[in-house]
């Protein structure tokens, strides 16, 4: 009886906990549901605030859909086009893109593909009607096979795939619809005309909205995006060098602030991931009309080449950033000896990058003093500071043999410390001690599983015990910093080439002064460098 009562009490307790847990679960779900409207409104506001053009584009799409829907809603227009008016709505949904170049590319591809497919389909239909009913079906099937296979193979040609892939797809779709329908429908010519007219109306509405009403140019986006890359790389270099020479307290404070994103990574991330984006914008920009005051063709592909040079420049910054996360670090007391020249050098490089970005943004040539004497002085000071500490890089003859101590510790952990006495003076060099320790571990029959587990740790102790390895990580950091200065020449050459081909205006000191005055007049709002960094959604 007692056992049965205990079991029943346990079952009652379990049954009592079930509704409590369900209630708690429902409360959690209810709290999350209450936060959904607030989070949705905040997301909608943030997306529109990042780029107000998104709001304008959404309104343009809504107006375009309303206009083409009149072909279906108004009786006089519906009698003229019939149910084919729905093709105009489909065209607006598919063709109308964010930028004018993208809309032109898709609109002209769609129109050209439809026109060629309709012409070829009527030619096939004309030849097929001259034959018998049985041979007509065979001829249409053979034409579908030959045209479909040929058009699909042409999509693999790089030039066609890059510029006219969407047009080939529309060609295949339209050709098959018209050709197959012509076998069962008598008035296929009338249906094709109506569909072509409705598609043309849809494309016309899209081009009208894209080119005349608050147009967004792909070329301008590519131009501004390229100029912004220089500022991001400049911020990455400055932040990387400042973090490398920061104090331990500042480092701990940054590690604890997990809510903030890494400014170093954010600076070069956009540059490294911009290859496909640059090529797409350059392609769409090549379709756009010459809307600027200049009549010559703008070299959009030169922006792609500049992007490739900047991407290789960014790889060096990635390696520089990796020096901050290596396992073996130079002591901060040693870093402090080279802090001032490195920070000066990074500041001069960042200054040069910002000048290059401004020259592209304002379409003017670079300043003749972009590689100023301050940059060369900073390089000279860094070289002088490194040469003043030769013992840090070539080692000292009277250094303490810490590797032998590591060997003693390893023997003590294996249980042979009491039986094997090792004299520090008996070992001549770190290298000989390391080789002797490795040979004993390989040839000794008493090596246990615990010794094998200690090998990675002991090898790390052996590496860190070498005196020159304390300065070796900084030597890698300094060499990468000098490599950045060397690659800066390649970036300057590419920017100058872009300015020559694009006919940038000559550099004038008054232009720079005018830009500074314009920025000072807008101090009512924070400068772009003071705003929080946000990723672009386009």
């Amino acid at each position: 009886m007692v056992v049965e009562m205990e079991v029943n009490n346990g079952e009652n307790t379990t049954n009592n906990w079930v509704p409590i847990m369900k209630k708690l679960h429902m409360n959690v779900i209810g709290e999350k549901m209450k936060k959904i409207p607030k989070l949705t409104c905040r997301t909608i506001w943030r997306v529109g605030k990042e780029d107000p053009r998104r709001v304008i584009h959404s309104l343009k799409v809504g107006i375009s859909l309303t206009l083409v829907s009149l072909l279906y809603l108004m009786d006089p227009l519906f009698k003229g086009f019939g149910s084919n008016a729905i093709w105009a709505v489909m065209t607006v949904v598919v063709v109308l893109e964010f930028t004018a170049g993208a809309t032109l590319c898709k609109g002209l591809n769609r129109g050209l593909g439809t026109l060629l497919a309709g012409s070829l389909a009527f030619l096939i239909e004309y030849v097929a009607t001259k034959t018998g009913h049985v041979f007509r079906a065979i001829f249409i099937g053979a034409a579908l096979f030959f045209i479909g296979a040929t058009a699909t193979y042409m999509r693999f040609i790089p030039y066609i795939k890059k510029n006219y892939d969407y047009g080939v797809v529309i060609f295949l779709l339209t050709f098959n619809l018209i050709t197959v329908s012509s076998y069962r429908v008598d008035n296929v010519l009338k249906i094709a005309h109506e569909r072509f007219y409705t598609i043309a109306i849809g494309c016309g509405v899209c081009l009208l909205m894209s080119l005349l009403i608050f147009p967004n140019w792909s070329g301008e986006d590519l131009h501004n995006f390229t100029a912004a890359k220089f500022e991001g790389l400049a911020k990455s270099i400055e932040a990387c060098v400042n973090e490398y020479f920061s104090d331990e307290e500042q480092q701990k404070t940054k590690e604890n602030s997990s809510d903030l994103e890494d400014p170093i990574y954010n600076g070069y991330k956009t540059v490294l991931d911009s290859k496909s984006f640059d090529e797409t914008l350059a392609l769409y920009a090549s379709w756009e009309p010459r809307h600027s005051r200049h009549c010559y063709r703008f070299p959009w592909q030169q922006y792609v080449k500049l992007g490739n040079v900047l991407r290789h420049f960014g790889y060096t910054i990635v390696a520089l950033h990796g020096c901050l996360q290596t396992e073996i670090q130079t002591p901060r007391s040693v870093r402090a000896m080279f802090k001032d020249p490195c920070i000066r050098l990074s500041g001069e490089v960042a200054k040069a990058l910002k000048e290059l970005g401004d020259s592209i943004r304002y379409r003017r040539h670079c300043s003749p003093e972009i590689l100023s004497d301050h940059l060369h002085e900073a390089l000279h000071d860094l070289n002088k500071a490194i040469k003043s500490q030769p013992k840090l890089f070539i080692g000292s003859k009277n250094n303490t043999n810490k590797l032998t101590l590591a060997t003693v510790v390893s023997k003590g952990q294996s249980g042979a410390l009491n039986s094997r006495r090792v004299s520090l003076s008996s070992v001549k060099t770190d290298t000989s001690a390391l080789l002797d320790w490795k040979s004993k571990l390989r040839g000794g029959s008493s090596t246990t599983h615990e010794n094998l587990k200690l090998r990675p740790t002991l090898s790390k102790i052996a590496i860190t015990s070498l005196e020159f390895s304390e300065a070796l990580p900084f030597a890698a950091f300094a060499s990468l910093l000098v490599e950045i200065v060397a690659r800066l020449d390649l970036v300057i050459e590419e920017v100058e080439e872009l300015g020559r081909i694009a006919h940038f205006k000559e550099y004038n000191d008054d232009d720079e002064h005018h830009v500074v005055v314009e920025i000072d007049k807008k101090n009512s709002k924070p400068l772009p460098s003071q705003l929080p960094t946000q990723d672009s959604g386009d």
Side-chain angles (χ1 to χ4, degrees), residues 145-201:
F145 169 78
F146 179 75
I147 298 298
T150 304
T152 303
Y153 186 79
M154 290 177 63
R155 294 182 63 189
F156 294 104
I157 300 176
Y159 180 78
I160 294 178
K161 184 176 182 62
K162 180 180 178 181
N163 296 278
Y164 303 105
D165 186 71
Y166 181 70
V168 176
V169 174
I170 296 300
F171 169 82
L172 277 174
L173 177 63
T174 306
F175 176 78
N176 281 272
L177 288 176
I178 296 176
T179 305
V180 174
S181 300
S182 64
Y183 187 76
R184 297 293 183 182
V185 181
D186 295 332
N187 58 346
V188 65
L189 183 61
K190 180 181 178 181
I191 296 175
H193 283 171
E194 292 176 352
R195 289 185 179 180
F196 180 78
Y197 293 150
T198 53
I199 291 174
I201 292 174

Side-chain angles (χ1 to χ4, degrees), residues 254-514:
K254 184 176 180 179
E255 292 177 355
N256 294 331
S257 58
S258 58
D259 295 336
L260 299 177
E261 296 184 359
D262 189 0
I264 306 174
Y265 176 72
N266 291 334
Y268 63 74
K269 177 186 67 173
T270 306
V271 178
L272 300 183
D273 299 339
S274 63
K275 179 178 175 59
S276 60
F277 189 67
D278 289 346
E279 293 177 350
T280 302
L281 286 180
L283 173 63
Y284 291 154
S286 64
W287 287 84
E288 293 177 349
R290 300 173 189 180
H291 54 276
S292 63
R293 59 180 179 173
H294 306 289
C295 296
Y296 51 82
R297 184 178 180 85
F298 215 72
W300 301 118
Q301 290 300 323
Q302 195 67 27
Y303 282 88
V304 179
K305 294 181 180 179
L306 177 58
N308 294 333
V309 175
L310 286 178
R311 196 155 38 252
H312 288 284
F313 186 84
Y315 294 150
T316 311
I317 302 178
V318 175
L320 193 72
H321 188 198
C323 293
L324 275 65
Q325 303 170 353
T326 55
E327 292 292 334
I328 302 173
Q329 292 286 346
T330 301
R332 298 188 182 275
S333 58
V334 178
R335 298 187 209 179
M337 302 178 185
F338 313 97
K339 178 178 180 180
D340 292 337
C342 288
I343 291 180
R344 284 182 56 198
L345 185 60
S346 65
E348 293 298 327
V349 172
K351 183 180 177 181
L353 288 173
K354 292 177 181 178
E355 168 61 25
L356 292 173
D358 290 339
S359 67
I360 293 179
R361 180 176 287 108
Y362 302 113
R363 290 183 171 89
R364 59 171 173 79
H365 287 282
C366 305
S367 171
E369 299 179 355
I370 186 170
L371 292 179
S372 61
D373 295 335
H374 300 290
L375 180 62
H376 297 287
E377 291 176 0
L379 278 173
H380 179 73
D381 292 343
L382 178 59
N383 186 32
K384 184 178 179 180
I386 292 175
K387 288 184 176 180
S388 64
Q389 302 293 333
K391 294 182 180 180
L392 291 175
F393 299 95
I394 63 177
S396 176
K397 295 182 179 180
N398 299 323
N399 61 331
T400 305
N401 198 329
K402 298 179 182 178
L403 180 61
T404 309
L405 182 60
T407 308
V408 173
V409 173
S410 65
K411 292 177 180 179
Q413 291 177 347
S414 61
L417 179 62
N418 296 329
S419 60
R420 298 178 183 179
R421 300 291 182 180
V422 180
S423 176
L424 294 179
S425 60
S426 63
V427 183
K428 296 181 179 180
T429 60
D430 291 341
T431 306
S432 61
L434 182 59
L435 293 175
D436 182 59
W437 172 61
K438 284 185 176 181
S439 61
K440 289 182 179 180
L441 283 178
R442 291 176 182 176
S445 59
S446 61
T447 303
T448 61
H449 185 64
E450 295 180 358
N451 297 133
L452 296 177
K453 287 184 177 180
L454 290 173
R455 284 185 181 180
T457 305
L458 293 175
S459 62
K460 185 177 179 181
I461 295 174
I463 294 173
T464 55
S465 66
L466 300 177
E467 184 177 352
F468 74 86
S469 66
E470 292 184 350
L472 185 62
F474 171 76
F477 183 85
S479 64
L480 289 172
L481 198 58
V482 175
E483 178 68 17
I484 287 176
V485 179
R487 293 197 178 190
L488 186 62
D489 291 335
L490 301 177
V491 178
I492 295 175
E493 291 178 2
E494 200 66 32
V495 173
E496 290 178 348
E497 180 69 13
L498 174 62
R500 185 184 62 82
I501 299 176
H503 302 281
F504 284 174
K505 62 183 180 180
E506 295 297 330
Y507 176 79
N508 191 357
D509 294 335
D510 296 337
D511 295 336
E512 185 177 359
H513 178 71
H514 178 70

Side-chain angles (χ1 to χ4, degrees), residues 26-87:
M26 293 300 296
N27 291 336
V28 172
I29 295 177
E31 292 294 331
K32 291 182 178 179
M33 293 295 292
K34 291 179 181 179
K35 295 180 180 179
I36 289 178
K38 186 177 180 180
L39 293 176
T40 303
C41 294
R42 187 179 300 173
T43 302
I44 293 173
W45 176 261
R46 178 178 57 82
V47 171
K49 189 177 180 180
E50 287 177 359
D51 193 351
R53 297 181 302 170
R54 298 171 182 173
V55 180
I56 298 175
H57 176 70
S58 302
L59 296 177
K60 287 162 61 175
V61 173
I63 294 173
S64 301
L65 290 174
T66 304
L67 290 177
V68 296
S69 297
L70 296 178
L71 299 176
Y72 219 87
L73 299 177
M74 298 181 67
D75 292 336
L77 296 177
F78 182 75
K79 291 179 181 179
F81 296 98
S83 59
N84 290 314
I86 198 65
W87 285 85

Side-chain angles (χ1 to χ4, degrees), residues 96-166:
L96 189 54
E97 294 288 342
F98 183 76
T99 61
T103 303
L104 277 168
C105 180
K106 298 192 72 174
L108 295 179
N109 269 274
R110 187 177 181 87
L112 184 62
T114 303
L115 182 61
L116 292 178
S119 303
L120 185 60
F122 289 134
L123 179 62
I124 297 296
E125 175 62 18
Y126 177 77
V127 175
T129 53
K130 300 299 182 179
T131 61
H133 185 73
V134 177
F135 185 77
R136 181 184 178 189
I138 298 175
F139 181 78
I140 290 177
L144 290 175
F145 169 78
F146 179 75
I147 298 298
T150 304
T152 303
Y153 186 79
M154 290 177 63
R155 294 182 63 189
F156 294 104
I157 300 176
Y159 180 78
I160 294 178
K161 184 176 182 62
K162 180 180 178 181
N163 296 278
Y164 303 105
D165 186 71
Y166 181 70

